Amino acid sequence: MDERDSLADPAFEDGAPVRAADRLTLDIDGWEGPLDLLLTLARSQKVDLARISILALVEQYLAFIADARKLKLEIAADYLVMAAWLAYLKSCLLLPKDPAVDPSPEELAMRLQLRLQRLAAMREAGARLLGRDRLGRDVFLRGDPEGLRVVRRSAWQAELYDLIAAYGAVRARSEPAVHVVARRPVMTLEEALLRVERMVGGRLEWARLESFLPETKDAEFRKSALASSFVAALELARKGRVELDQKSPFAPLFIRAA
Amino acid sequence: MKELADDLRAVEAALFAAAEPLGADDIAAHVGDGVDVAAALAELQGHYAGRGVNLVERGGRWHFQTAADLAHILRREREEPRRLSRAAIETLAIIAYHEPVSRAEIEAIRGVQISRGTLDVLMEAGWVRPAGRREAPGRPLTYATTQAFLQHFGLASRRDLPGLDDLKAAGLLDPIDAAMEQLELESGPEGD
Amino acid sequence: MKELADDLRAVEAALFAAAEPLGADDIAAHVGDGVDVAAALAELQGHYAGRGVNLVERGGRWHFQTAADLAHILRREREEPRRLSRAAIETLAIIAYHEPVSRAEIEAIRGVQISRGTLDVLMEAGWVRPAGRREAPGRPLTYATTQAFLQHFGLASRRDLPGLDDLKAAGLLDPIDAAMEQLELESGPEGD
């Protein structure tokens, strides 16, 4: 089958009734669409679908629709679209042949005939399917089968590495956690007090705080010494042993003996 | 009765006991690898031909079922398994003979839209399943029949669909365009 | 195969399709009054003697059943590969390194409780076995590994398990715990 069938077929070219979504479709006496109605009319010709007279069929369809209109039946749009197309086909078939028209009316008629044959074939196939010896209607399975059981057995798998790694993980996890803090180089406040007090001695000239720090290349230790010496200077000033002088915030801090 | 080979007995027992039709693989898994399951199945099928119970193959799976001609003694409740609408029957036939087939293709053959419920009914019955998307514009979903369809309608395979060969030979399962070309080759344009 | 009489076929089909064992009356109701059900049952029983399926009578009711000697094929085992959970592999490792070891000891080493299921899985796998009770308060049951354990992990003996030094060198362990060394020294003869 091919998607193009329905698209290319002139019967459904314009109105695309097959696709018209959600349109209320009135079944005319239970026909399922115009093709179904056409097939029923074709059957009434009582000839092989391959030999059917399309012209006669078109006449019947148009007459049927005309009758339905006379009776003021509401006719679904797709039946009317088909009627319009068939009226067009009829006029083409009756007019003298125009070789320029493509597809030719004969080809259109042939396509319609093929469609009817296909629908008829599938309708018949459906009937034959339903007439077969069907399970649960004509033939029966065993009423009370013991049933086959599949017992699932787990085949456990693990690799040696998993085992060893797991053991390592357990041991590592259960190790008592001892936190050893590495000793950082610091100058304690006590050390700084002694050092600054000793170095200031009785000097009356101002000296920068930095000049009281020990010689070191260790930046960490230097920072610690600076902080401790600063606190030591404050402490000594509080006790009245030294005087402090700073011209402005963050300016160098000067110390001398009081 | 003559003694049956143990292999045959085992295959017979497995099929009798099974709640579902069994493939040859399933049978082998139960009766053991050393058994020539295919040969046993063929022989058993012969044993049961003409009996009240027959061994049948449906889409590569095997099961026992009662003989069709005994339906009258077994159909106590006389219930039709499932009444299908005309639309559903036609749709099922179109799917079976054309599968995999898209919804638009089904509609093209029937000349009407199919309502959502029609395919649902067929899928709920377990006879139709979605069968992937077609590599074509819009990637339409296609439908095909199932194992349960073959079982229910007593078909050994899709090749057993009634009249399949005739329909094929008549070109009635081909797209209309292909059929038209064929007709033009065989004979000039026919004007009825 | 010889053709069976229709009566016999009907009785056979009725018994096959029945959802429960049938009495002779039930069968007669299906197949019609003209049938000598008792004779048909006796003949059918003969037909099925020695086959994979037998026709048996139980308390005046008849049904087909799988031949007793074929009961095993109704049950098929299928192995499904499964990986051990983290809890299971850790428990197994602890047992392997410390056996025989009690549940409480395993929990102490793991630092986490173990569920009953964990040991069950290891025993189901065949890698762990109960290894007697410890002569200690409460007489706790101890566990040890099995020969199958050694085989699965490709070990000639438990001494092939990497020691703590190896684990440490492989980066699998933090600094060694003295208690651990002690345990390793204690792991004497293997009793498998």
Side-chain angles (χ1 to χ4, degrees), chain A residues 110-136:
Chain A
M110 178 61 70
R111 281 177 174 272
L112 179 59
Q113 189 177 331
L114 285 175
R115 290 185 57 132
L116 290 173
Q117 280 180 282
R118 274 165 174 64
L119 180 59
M122 285 302 106
R123 191 160 289 178
E124 194 185 322
R128 286 171 78 177
L129 266 183
L130 254 64
R132 289 182 65 83
D133 292 325
R134 288 159 63 187
L135 202 60

Side-chain angles (χ1 to χ4, degrees), chain C residues 87-108:
Chain C
I89 190 102
E90 284 187 7
T91 302
L92 179 62
I94 292 166
I95 294 171
Y97 274 90
H98 297 258
E99 73 181 46
V101 62
S102 74
R103 185 195 180 85
E105 289 160 352
I106 296 168
E107 289 177 344

Side-chain angles (χ1 to χ4, degrees), chain A residues 1-6 8-9 12 17-22 30-36 50-55 78 106-107 110-111 113-115 117-119 121-123 125-130 132-142 145-150, chain B residues 14 16-19 22 30 63-68 71 74-75 80-82 84 86-87 89-90 93-94 97-98 102 104-105 107-113 127 134 140 149 151-155 161-163 167 171-177 179-180 183-184 190-192:
Chain A
M1 283 310 306
D2 191 309
E3 194 98 24
R4 284 168 301 165
D5 279 359
S6 66
D9 199 295
F12 296 93
V18 174
R19 273 151 222 287
D22 300 324
W31 279 294
E32 296 192 353
L35 204 60
D36 187 21
R51 298 175 197 290
I52 197 160
S53 160
I54 289 294
L55 205 49
D78 45 356
E106 285 75 19
E107 188 182 330
M110 178 61 70
R111 281 177 174 272
Q113 189 177 331
L114 285 175
R115 290 185 57 132
Q117 280 180 282
R118 274 165 174 64
L119 180 59
M122 285 302 106
R123 191 160 289 178
R128 286 171 78 177
L129 266 183
L130 254 64
R132 289 182 65 83
D133 292 325
R134 288 159 63 187
L135 202 60
R137 189 189 68 162
D138 309 294
V139 297
F140 298 87
L141 296 175
R142 189 161 174 216
E146 288 94 339
L148 296 177
R149 287 199 305 133
V150 176
Chain B
F16 245 82
L22 298 180
H30 277 281
H63 67 254
F64 281 112
Q65 66 180 27
T66 57
L74 298 167
R75 209 184 292 148
E80 183 81 355
R82 186 182 289 273
L84 290 176
R86 198 147 67 85
I89 296 167
E90 279 180 26
I94 291 167
Y97 285 79
H98 293 84
S102 75
E105 289 158 355
E107 290 176 342
I109 294 172
R110 295 197 63 231
V112 277
Q113 276 200 312
W127 296 337
R134 166 130 336 135
F149 166 80
Q151 272 159 31
H152 183 89
F153 292 99
L155 300 163
L161 283 169
L167 291 173
L172 286 172
L173 301 180
D174 300 330
I176 284 187
D177 283 337
M180 287 299 293
L183 282 169
E184 276 161 25
E190 270 168 44
D192 281 69

Side-chain angles (χ1 to χ4, degrees), chain B residues 8 19 57 60 62 65 68 72 87 99 106 112 124 130 135-136 192:
Chain B
L8 214 57
E57 184 199 354
W62 297 73
Q65 66 180 27
H72 61 284
E99 72 181 45
I106 298 168
V112 277
E124 193 196 330
E135 289 305 332
D192 281 69

Side-chain angles (χ1 to χ4, degrees), chain B residues 90-145:
Chain B
E90 279 180 26
T91 303
L92 179 63
I94 291 167
I95 293 172
Y97 285 79
H98 293 84
E99 72 181 45
V101 61
S102 75
R103 189 188 180 87
E105 289 158 355
I106 298 168
E107 290 176 342
I109 294 172
R110 295 197 63 231
V112 277
Q113 276 200 312
I114 44 175
S115 64
R116 185 79 225 162
T118 304
L119 277 169
D120 283 353
V121 161
L122 296 175
M123 286 197 274
E124 193 196 330
W127 296 337
V128 163
R129 63 183 165 86
R133 295 191 176 274
R134 166 130 336 135
E135 289 305 332
R139 291 181 40 78
L141 189 62
T142 64
Y143 296 90
T145 54

